[in-house]
């Protein structure tokens, strides 16, 4: 019975991986802000992913990139000031950040894409 259970489990894993969606990672450089935005997209094929990525890239650039850069610049300036912000300022920033994050997720999810974060570049 143990061998049969193991066989069934392995068969299900193989079947699941055969029908799994494909995935690709992308990035958008933002030279003026000195940032690179990181994304992952999933789809039925690499062609579908590439098509959806082009749409997602356009949506992010037109609707979210400026706000992402502004929020990150605000965070960086606060860190570099050397002064701890008040709890009210932290809470206000968190509300602003979470609203932006939710808006990005809502716009990119129908395209099978999500923003994974960002990195600073010199």
């Amino acid at each position: 019975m143990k061998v049969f259970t193991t066989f069934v489990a392995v068969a299900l894993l193989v079947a699941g991986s055969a029908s799994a969606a494909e995935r690709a990672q992308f990035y958008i450089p933002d030279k003026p802000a000195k940032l690179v935005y990181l994304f992952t997209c999933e789809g039925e094929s690499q062609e579908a992913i590439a098509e959806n990525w082009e749409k997602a890239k356009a949506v992010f650039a037109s609707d979210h990139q400026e706000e992402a850069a502004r929020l990150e610049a605000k965070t960086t300036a606060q860190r570099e000031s050397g002064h701890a912000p008040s709890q009210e300022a932290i809470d206000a920033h968190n509300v602003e950040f979470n609203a932006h994050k939710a808006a990005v997720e809502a716009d990119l999810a129908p395209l099978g894409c999500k923003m994974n974060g960002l990195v600073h570049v010199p």
Side-chain angles (χ1 to χ4, degrees):
M1 185 66 180
K2 187 175 182 182
V3 172
F4 178 74
T5 305
T6 303
F7 174 77
V8 171
V10 170
L12 288 174
L13 285 174
V14 170
S17 64
S19 65
E22 300 209 20
R23 178 185 307 205
Q25 295 180 320
F26 300 97
Y27 66 92
I28 297 174
D30 187 345
K31 290 181 183 179
K34 297 183 178 179
L35 299 169
V36 175
Y37 306 100
L38 309 171
F39 300 86
T40 302
C41 296
E42 294 183 351
E44 294 301 317
S45 67
Q46 288 299 319
E47 293 80 19
I49 291 171
E51 184 178 313
N52 284 341
W53 168 242
E54 289 303 315
K55 294 174 188 173
K57 186 168 49 170
V59 167
F60 182 79
S62 68
D63 298 348
H64 303 292
Q65 189 167 343
E66 186 177 310
E67 179 69 359
R70 185 189 71 75
L71 287 169
E72 191 58 29
K74 187 176 174 183
T75 301
T76 300
Q78 175 56 51
R79 281 190 201 122
E80 291 173 351
S81 75
H83 302 331
S86 67
Q87 187 59 50
E88 292 80 20
I90 292 171
D91 292 343
H93 180 75
N94 286 343
V95 166
E96 213 176 1
F97 174 81
N98 289 334
H100 176 255
K101 183 178 174 184
V104 171
E105 288 175 1
D107 285 350
L108 299 186
L111 300 170
C113 298
K114 68 179 181 175
M115 184 175 173
N116 300 104
L118 55 85
V119 293
H120 294 262
V121 293

